[in-house]
Amino acid sequence: MAKSKPKLINKIYNGIFDGMDVNQAEELYQRAKGKYQDKLDEFDRLDKLYNEPDTNGPYDKNIVFELIESEIDNNIYYPKVRSNNGRTEPAAELENILKFELYDPKYREYNDLQERNTYIFGGAVTLVYWDPLSRNSAAGGKLKFKAIDPRNYIPQPGVNKVEDMDYMFIIESTTKMSLAN
C-alpha cells in the first residue's frame, strides 16, 4: 500500500507545535502577529469604512457600505455533473447530493458573509474540516466549513501560500471544557 501524503490539517496541528511548551507557542504567535500587524490595522480601517457612516457630509449615508451591498450576489449556482462514460445515473446522483448540500441555509449564510468579506478585506478565509460527530453519511461524519474573519487569521511570516506554510494561527473563542476534551 502506497504511503499517502499527510493531510494539511495534520501538518498544521501536529507538526510544528510538537514538543513545544505554551510559552514557545505564544512567542511564535506574537512574532507572527507582529509581522502581520500592519495588515491587521488595514483590515480594521477597511471594516470601519464599511460599518460607520460619514457624518461630515450632507447625508448620513455610508457610501462604502452602499457600494459593497450593491455588488453582492447572493445567488448560488447549482453544479451540473456529466458522465464521461455515458452512465447518467451516478452523475445525476452526485448532482443531487451537491444540490442538497448547497441548499443548506448555513451555506447560504456562509456565502453571504464571504461575499462581504471579499469586498471589504480583499479576500475571505475559510476553515474546511471533517466533523466526525455528524452522522450524516456512511463515512461517519461530514465535511464542514466555517467562515473565519480575516482579522482572526495570522499566517506564517514570509510565506504567501497556505500550502507552503508550516503553521498559521486562527483566533477563536472557546471554553475550558472544549480544551479539556
Side-chain angles (χ1 to χ4, degrees), residues 112-127:
D112 189 65
L113 176 62
Q114 294 297 57
E115 281 271 335
R116 279 178 181 75
N117 282 347
T118 299
Y119 281 106
I120 296 168
F121 302 113
V125 180
T126 300
L127 175 64

Side-chain angles (χ1 to χ4, degrees), residues 39-78:
K39 193 69 169 167
L40 293 172
D41 293 341
E42 176 68 6
F43 286 161
D44 287 338
R45 186 185 74 76
L46 294 171
D47 186 60
K48 186 176 178 183
L49 283 174
Y50 175 76
N51 285 312
E52 294 179 15
D54 179 16
T55 56
N56 295 332
Y59 306 104
D60 273 346
K61 287 283 188 184
N62 183 341
I63 190 66
V64 174
F65 175 86
E66 297 295 333
L67 289 171
I68 287 175
E69 291 300 310
S70 70
E71 289 292 320
I72 291 175
D73 178 12
N74 289 332
N75 292 322
I76 296 176
Y77 301 97
Y78 291 116

Side-chain angles (χ1 to χ4, degrees), residues 67-137:
L67 289 171
I68 287 175
E69 291 300 310
S70 70
E71 289 292 320
I72 291 175
D73 178 12
N74 289 332
N75 292 322
I76 296 176
Y77 301 97
Y78 291 116
K80 181 69 178 161
V81 180
R82 294 191 181 150
S83 173
N84 287 340
N85 61 10
R87 295 177 56 211
T88 58
E89 258 183 49
E93 186 177 335
L94 178 58
E95 191 173 302
N96 285 334
I97 289 170
L98 292 172
K99 283 180 182 177
F100 178 75
E101 290 293 323
L102 292 174
Y103 191 72
D104 186 350
K106 288 181 183 175
Y107 186 79
R108 293 184 177 280
E109 284 177 32
Y110 160 83
N111 184 55
D112 189 65
L113 176 62
Q114 294 297 57
E115 281 271 335
R116 279 178 181 75
N117 282 347
T118 299
Y119 281 106
I120 296 168
F121 302 113
V125 180
T126 300
L127 175 64
V128 180
Y129 62 99
W130 185 258
D131 181 11
L133 300 177
S134 178
R135 302 291 179 215
N136 197 24
S137 69

Side-chain angles (χ1 to χ4, degrees), residues 162-181:
V162 173
E163 299 85 27
D164 297 336
M165 290 181 190
D166 291 326
Y167 63 89
M168 68 187 73
F169 295 95
I170 297 174
I171 303 161
E172 292 184 308
S173 297
T174 189
T175 63
K176 289 181 184 180
M177 184 64 84
S178 68
L179 292 174
N181 291 333

